[in-house]
Amino acid sequence: MEKLALNVKGMTCSHCETAVKNAMEDLNVNVIQVSSEKELLEIEFDPSKVTLEQIKNEITDMDYTVA
């Protein structure tokens, strides 16, 4: 398992946090923390099952920016 912290810009509320969390869970990514206030997403994932590129694409498809 790999742990990673991503800066996610564009999240403004708890609804945004929930949407990102649900999207990550759909990819079988464990969410450690998601914070719109900190613009932070901390995750743990198995790189043999999902790639970082897939994770980033899922976030950007939701109109957020991964910095």
Side-chain angles (χ1 to χ4, degrees):
M1 296 294 269
E2 186 173 325
K3 289 185 180 180
L4 189 62
L6 299 171
N7 291 328
V8 179
K9 300 196 181 292
M11 295 188 298
T12 58
C13 62
S14 62
H15 173 75
C16 297
E17 293 172 354
T18 301
V20 169
K21 181 179 179 187
N22 290 341
M24 293 299 99
E25 289 174 351
D26 288 346
L27 291 175
N28 293 315
V29 172
N30 297 324
V31 175
I32 299 168
Q33 177 184 358
V34 60
S35 171
S36 58
E37 184 177 314
K38 296 178 184 177
E39 296 182 328
L40 178 68
L41 173 63
E42 292 182 74
I43 56 174
E44 184 177 61
F45 65 101
D46 183 346
S48 69
K49 295 182 180 178
V50 63
T51 67
L52 179 56
E53 192 66 28
Q54 288 173 304
I55 293 168
K56 287 181 176 181
N57 285 342
E58 186 70 24
I59 295 168
T60 57
D61 285 351
M62 298 172 67
D63 293 328
Y64 302 117
T65 303
V66 180

